Amino acid sequence: MRITKLVVALAAATSLGLLAGCGGGGSTSTAATPEGTQKAEAAQKVVDAAKAVPGTNDLGPAIDVSSLRGKTIYSIPIDSKAEFYQAGEEAMKGVAAKAGVNFVTFPSDGTQTSYQQGIAQAINAGAGAILLNGPLPATLGPQIDAATKAGIPVVPLHLSDKGSPVSAGLKYEAFAPFNEAARLMALTAVAAQKGSPVHALIIQSSETGPAKGMVDTMQKALTDEAPAGSGSEVINVAVPQWSQQIQSQVQSALLKDPNINAVLPMYDSMALYAAPGIKQAAGGRDVPIYTFNGTPSILKMVQDGQVAMNAAENPDWVAYVNIDVAFRAMLGADPVPAESGPLRVIDSSNVAETGTPPQSGKGFGDTYGAAFLKLWGLA
């Protein structure tokens, strides 16, 4: 689950709440209007464009990584035993090896103490770069200062939206398209309603880094790019409570407001619990799920008709981005502004391209790896 790198550092936060959205959740307006139809058609054009396989023409300036051979990158994940992190760390290790660069994953256990120990070990080992694969830089100020003093760049990964500035005190960071995904989720719901208002139920985890930006983006899209009368309600479920609370909160919201016609979980693993809540409360209604991440098990739910759309990332492509940022940091090269992996909208029209069953990384073409190797002077 990709979002865990963003959130587990704060996963002790378990507050729940039902938050007021930006108007319209209880509206009874359902009729399509000419203006609404125009907005739905405009939304569909944006969504259709995002279904294309991403290109590799804008990866940044070329760099020569030959001088990095034999150096070592240390990565500190949120929890080195978590399956998602194991997969991501292994992917980055494989990418680094293509340049002859060693890659060490510190055996972190989700505690601040282990993150601090990991940075200390990396400094003592003379690492070429330290990657924070989930741990928040704001909580590791003294350790980052020590690494910087030792001449070792520290690079946060996949924590902030690509429209955000680099983390305070740092020069390099690998970003993610969180807000772009949020807009695509909302616009897919707009297009599906064919000109009628969207009454969305947004599911967020407010303790996670991208949450506010994603919710704000969805609500702005429903205000500016959706038919009049559209709006949202927001339920907030902390990460540790997903399996216990999402289903019941979704069920309660749908029973309370029978006009809800779209559910937008900000992270796709939430859909595992939202889907049964919809079935229990709205079995006779069409209440599609639109979400973000590209987790294979959720793409399988797209194939099975349980999820309507996933604004998907490619974990393998993200690994190349992460290592590219690390290489540039080690070389002292200028960072690529807002460097991030791409998105691709996956729905019933193209989900077969992700495999049967879906596989991590499939559905994004097969040229991006070679493109990065060429960028680095390795091909």
Side-chain angles (χ1 to χ4, degrees):
M1 179 172 66
R2 191 161 306 115
I3 60 91
T4 48
K5 26 172 132 163
L6 309 164
V7 303
V8 180
L10 295 173
T14 58
S15 61
L16 307 174
L18 184 61
L19 307 180
C22 94
S27 169
T28 58
S29 174
T30 58
T33 65
E35 181 184 10
T37 300
Q38 289 178 353
K39 289 189 172 182
E41 291 172 351
Q44 188 66 63
K45 289 180 180 179
V46 174
V47 173
D48 286 344
K51 292 182 185 181
V53 175
T56 59
N57 297 325
D58 190 22
L59 301 181
I63 53 176
D64 181 356
V65 303
S66 59
S67 63
L68 302 181
R69 182 171 293 274
K71 294 186 179 295
T72 300
I73 295 172
Y74 262 73
S75 181
I76 304 169
I78 282 283
D79 184 347
S80 62
K81 293 183 179 179
E83 181 179 357
F84 173 77
Y85 287 108
Q86 290 176 349
E89 294 286 314
E90 192 64 25
M92 288 190 286
K93 181 178 181 179
V95 173
K98 296 178 187 295
V101 174
N102 302 312
F103 188 93
V104 175
T105 297
F106 182 79
S108 54
D109 60 9
T111 65
Q112 284 295 112
T113 298
S114 69
Y115 309 151
Q116 293 166 0
Q117 292 172 340
I119 293 176
Q121 185 179 110
I123 293 171
N124 291 336
I130 299 172
L131 308 183
L132 297 181
N133 190 6
L136 303 176
T139 67
L140 294 165
Q143 291 73 35
I144 292 174
D145 289 344
T148 302
K149 186 176 180 180
I152 304 172
V154 177
V155 181
L157 308 179
H158 210 272
L159 292 171
S160 302
D161 180 72
K162 63 183 184 180
S164 304
V166 177
S167 295
L170 300 177
K171 183 177 180 180
Y172 300 91
E173 184 162 356
F175 294 94
F178 298 120
N179 294 345
E180 179 184 352
R183 178 172 178 252
L184 286 169
M185 289 160 58
L187 291 186
T188 307
V190 171
Q193 289 302 311
K194 307 293 186 184
S196 296
V198 176
H199 303 297
L201 178 65
I202 296 172
I203 311 174
Q204 71 150 329
S205 291
S206 62
E207 82 275 18
T208 68
K212 185 179 186 304
M214 290 186 73
V215 172
D216 287 350
T217 299
M218 284 186 262
Q219 292 184 329
K220 187 175 190 303
L222 293 174
T223 298
D224 296 347
E225 301 182 82
S230 297
S232 65
E233 297 177 10
V234 184
I235 59 174
N236 180 41
V237 184
V239 177
Q241 301 300 319
W242 286 6
S243 61
Q244 293 84 19
Q245 296 291 337
I246 287 179
Q247 179 175 340
S248 61
Q249 290 217 36
V250 168
Q251 185 173 346
S252 176
L254 290 173
L255 291 172
K256 179 181 178 182
D257 184 357
N259 295 306
I260 291 173
N261 54 21
V263 174
L264 280 62
M266 63 184 299
Y267 306 125
D268 67 2
S269 291
M270 292 172 160
L272 292 168
Y273 314 108
I278 294 170
K279 184 176 181 180
Q280 288 294 321
R285 289 157 50 195
D286 183 20
V287 185
I289 295 174
Y290 310 96
T291 190
F292 156 70
N293 271 160
T295 303
S297 60
I298 311 305
L299 295 177
K300 180 65 165 58
M301 293 177 72
V302 175
Q303 287 186 335
D304 294 343
Q306 297 174 281
V307 170
M309 169 271 197
N310 199 314
E313 291 184 295
N314 176 348
D316 190 49
W317 196 320
V318 170
Y320 275 97
V321 167
N322 293 343
I323 296 301
D324 183 68
V325 177
F327 285 170
R328 292 175 191 276
M330 294 163 75
L331 292 168
D334 290 337
V336 176
E339 186 164 4
S340 167
L343 288 172
R344 186 183 185 196
V345 166
I346 301 295
D347 62 12
S348 60
S349 70
N350 59 4
V351 68
E353 297 175 34
T354 68
T356 306
Q359 299 174 33
S360 180
K362 288 199 68 173
F364 283 75
D366 55 6
T367 63
Y368 59 89
F372 274 103
L373 295 182
K374 182 178 180 180
L375 189 74
W376 300 334
L378 299 176

